[in-house]
């Protein structure tokens, strides 16, 4: 599978080296042939969304606040989230977008009860797939 986001097809967004992100995806339990794996093997983050205000984090990053791995480790330790959930975006207005590794669905999670619903499997996904989430973020994919 290959995901193409035309607004990111400028050479400045292409990932120059896939080794670190491949290792990061593996540590998170994400397969390279998933929608999210395909996206991150092609594009280098973090990536700002002009449509939403969210910043889509990179899998690994020089700064912890720019890393899916670091943000996910934080919510797992602080809130006890299952390993199937990974944080996709920067924290914005008390919430984050969260990816479910097992279903590829994306959730809009607030920390005023939504986090508990997610943890208990009671929160409904906002997007049925990572691809649909990308369409929301970038207006196309």
């Amino acid at each position: 599978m290959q995901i193409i986001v035309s607004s990111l097809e400028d050479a400045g967004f292409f990932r120059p080296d896939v080794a670190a992100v491949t290792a990061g995806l593996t540590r998170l339990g994400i397969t390279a042939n998933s929608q999210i794996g395909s996206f991150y093997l092609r594009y280098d983050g973090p990536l700002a969304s002009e449509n939403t205000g969210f910043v889509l984090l990179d899998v690994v990053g020089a700064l912890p606040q720019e890393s899916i791995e670091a943000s996910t480790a934080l919510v797992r330790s602080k809130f006890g989230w299952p390993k199937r959930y990974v944080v996709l975006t920067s924290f914005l207005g008390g919430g984050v977008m969260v990816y479910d590794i097992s279903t590829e669905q994306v959730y809009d999670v607030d920390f005023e009860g939504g986090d508990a619903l997610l943890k208990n499997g009671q929160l409904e996904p906002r997007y049925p797939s990572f691809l649909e989430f990308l369409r929301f973020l970038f207006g196309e994919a």
Side-chain angles (χ1 to χ4, degrees):
M1 165 179 295
Q2 185 171 23
I3 293 184
I4 305 292
V5 178
S6 60
S7 62
L8 300 178
E9 284 298 292
D10 181 315
F13 294 110
F14 292 132
R15 185 169 299 283
D17 180 16
V18 298
V21 77
T22 300
L25 289 169
T26 299
R27 285 188 297 271
L28 288 166
I30 298 171
T31 61
N33 65 350
S34 63
Q35 291 177 3
I36 191 172
S38 172
F39 176 82
Y40 279 109
L41 289 171
R42 183 171 184 86
Y43 300 111
D44 197 10
L47 300 163
S49 168
E50 294 178 7
N51 297 331
T52 67
F54 279 110
V55 173
L56 184 62
L57 302 173
D58 200 2
V59 174
V60 295
L63 301 172
Q65 65 269 24
E66 295 178 353
S67 162
I68 289 175
E69 280 191 298
S71 295
T72 298
L74 174 71
V75 296
R76 285 179 180 169
S77 67
K78 188 170 183 174
F79 299 105
W81 287 9
K83 290 189 178 202
R84 67 187 266 192
Y85 299 117
V86 296
V87 174
L88 295 175
T89 63
S90 57
F91 294 84
L92 180 67
V96 293
M97 302 304 286
V98 175
Y99 174 77
D100 183 333
I101 294 169
S102 62
T103 66
E104 294 202 276
Q105 296 172 322
V106 177
Y107 296 82
D108 187 353
V109 181
D110 65 55
F111 291 93
E112 296 177 2
D115 55 320
L117 292 173
L118 179 75
K119 182 179 171 182
N120 295 326
Q122 297 172 317
L123 187 66
E124 292 295 320
R126 175 128 184 229
Y127 301 97
S129 69
F130 184 72
L131 182 57
E132 288 300 316
F133 171 66
L134 291 176
R135 287 187 176 123
F136 159 73
L137 270 183
F138 300 111
E140 45 75 37

